[in-house]
Amino acid sequence: MGLLLIGAMPGAARAQTETAAVPKNAQPKRYGSGWECKPGFREIQAACVAIKVPANAYLTNAAYGSGWACKRGYREQADACMAIKIPANAFLRSYGESWECHRGYRKQDETCVTVKVPANGYLQSYGDSWDCMRGYRKVDQACIAIKVPANAYPTNSSQGTGWRCERGFREDGETCQQVKVPKNGYLMESTFGVGWRCERGYRAGKNDCLAVKIPANAHLNYTGDDWDCDRPLQKQDNKCVLPQ
C-alpha cells in the first residue's frame, strides 16, 4: 500500500505543477496540452493581460493586431474610435468605414459638391460625371453641336469628331472623301490604310491592282498577292529552280 502511494505521488505532483503554471484569466486549451488566455485577454510574458477596448469598439478575438475593431460608423485613430463625419449629400458606405457622395455630387476634399451638367448634357449612371447627348460633343465644360459633313453620320459617342464617314468614304480633316477603288480591288472596312485591297491574284500598286505574274512550277502564296515555288524548287531570279 505504501509503495502504491509512493508511485502515485510523482504524477500528482506534475498535475499540481501544471495547474499552478496556468496564469490568471487563462484556461486549458481545447485541443492539445497547455493553456490559452480567455476571451478579452492576451498573452504577454506568460501572463494574460486584459485587452483595453476603447469606446465604440468591440473585441475581435484575434491573436494579431490590437485585438479590437471600431464599430460601423467609426474609424480607428490614435488607439480610439472616432465618429466618421458624413457631409451633406453623402452616405455611409456599406462596410461603415468611409462615406460616399450621392448621385449627382462628387467628392471635393471633405465635402460633396454638385456635378454641374451643361445644356445638352446628362448625368452619367455612376453619378459623379456627365456626358453629352447624341449630336453634341465635349469641349471644355460645354456640349457643342456636332457639324456632320456630307457623306457622314453622327455616332453615339461624344468623344472625337462625333461622326463617322459612310461606307465608301474616308475621313479627311472635317470632310468625307470618296475612296477610289481601282479595277480588281474592293472596299475595306478600315479607318487606316488606303481603304481598299486587291483581289486574290493581284498586288497593290500606287493607285491600282497589278496582276501577279506566276512563273512555271509556281503557285499563288497564302495571301494571294505573290507566288511561291512548288516543292522542292526554290526562288531564284524570279524563277523556280532546283536547290544546289
Side-chain angles (χ1 to χ4, degrees):
M1 186 69 177
L3 290 173
L4 289 173
L5 288 172
I6 293 170
M9 285 177 66
R14 280 198 304 273
Q16 289 175 358
T17 302
E18 289 179 0
T19 301
V22 177
K24 186 180 179 181
N25 299 312
Q27 59 190 14
K29 286 185 176 179
R30 287 175 292 178
Y31 304 101
S33 59
W35 55 270
E36 60 186 4
C37 293
K38 293 179 180 179
F41 295 85
R42 172 168 292 172
E43 182 181 346
I44 299 177
Q45 296 181 350
C48 289
V49 179
I51 297 172
K52 295 180 180 179
V53 182
N56 301 305
Y58 60 91
L59 286 169
T60 60
N61 293 324
Y64 53 87
S66 61
W68 54 267
C70 293
K71 293 179 180 178
R72 185 174 185 274
Y74 293 84
R75 182 183 293 135
E76 185 176 342
Q77 185 177 338
D79 296 326
C81 289
M82 307 300 291
I84 296 172
K85 296 179 181 178
I86 304 173
N89 304 306
F91 61 93
L92 191 65
R93 300 185 70 176
S94 58
Y95 287 109
E97 82 295 349
S98 60
W99 54 267
E100 186 175 332
C101 294
H102 286 296
R103 184 173 182 272
Y105 297 85
R106 60 180 176 80
K107 189 173 183 180
Q108 182 174 301
D109 299 326
E110 294 302 315
T111 64
C112 289
V113 297
T114 305
V115 176
K116 296 179 180 178
V117 182
N120 302 306
Y122 63 91
L123 193 65
Q124 291 188 329
S125 57
Y126 34 89
D128 62 351
S129 60
W130 56 270
D131 205 346
C132 293
M133 294 181 181
R134 185 175 180 181
Y136 296 83
R137 64 179 171 185
K138 281 185 177 182
V139 178
D140 297 327
Q141 296 301 310
C143 289
I144 306 301
I146 295 170
K147 295 179 181 178
V148 181
N151 303 305
Y153 60 92
T155 62
N156 290 325
S157 174
S158 65
Q159 307 301 317
T161 60
W163 52 266
R164 187 173 295 169
C165 294
E166 300 280 0
R167 176 177 166 81
F169 293 83
R170 302 297 301 280
E171 185 178 332
D172 184 8
E174 295 298 320
T175 64
C176 289
Q177 298 297 320
Q178 187 172 12
V179 176
K180 295 179 180 179
V181 182
K183 185 180 179 181
N184 300 308
Y186 59 93
L187 279 171
M188 284 288 296
E189 296 293 340
S190 175
T191 56
F192 55 88
V194 294
W196 54 267
R197 181 179 290 176
C198 293
E199 300 281 0
R200 182 173 172 81
Y202 294 83
R203 65 161 61 98
K206 186 175 181 180
N207 295 304
D208 53 3
C209 290
L210 306 173
V212 177
K213 295 179 180 180
I214 305 173
N217 302 309
H219 58 274
L220 278 173
N221 64 5
Y222 175 76
T223 57
D225 60 355
D226 204 350
W227 55 270
D228 288 329
C229 292
D230 297 338
R231 288 178 295 182
L233 304 180
Q234 295 180 347
K235 275 187 179 183
Q236 185 177 316
D237 299 329
N238 292 321
K239 295 185 295 184
C240 290
V241 299
L242 287 169
Q244 299 295 325

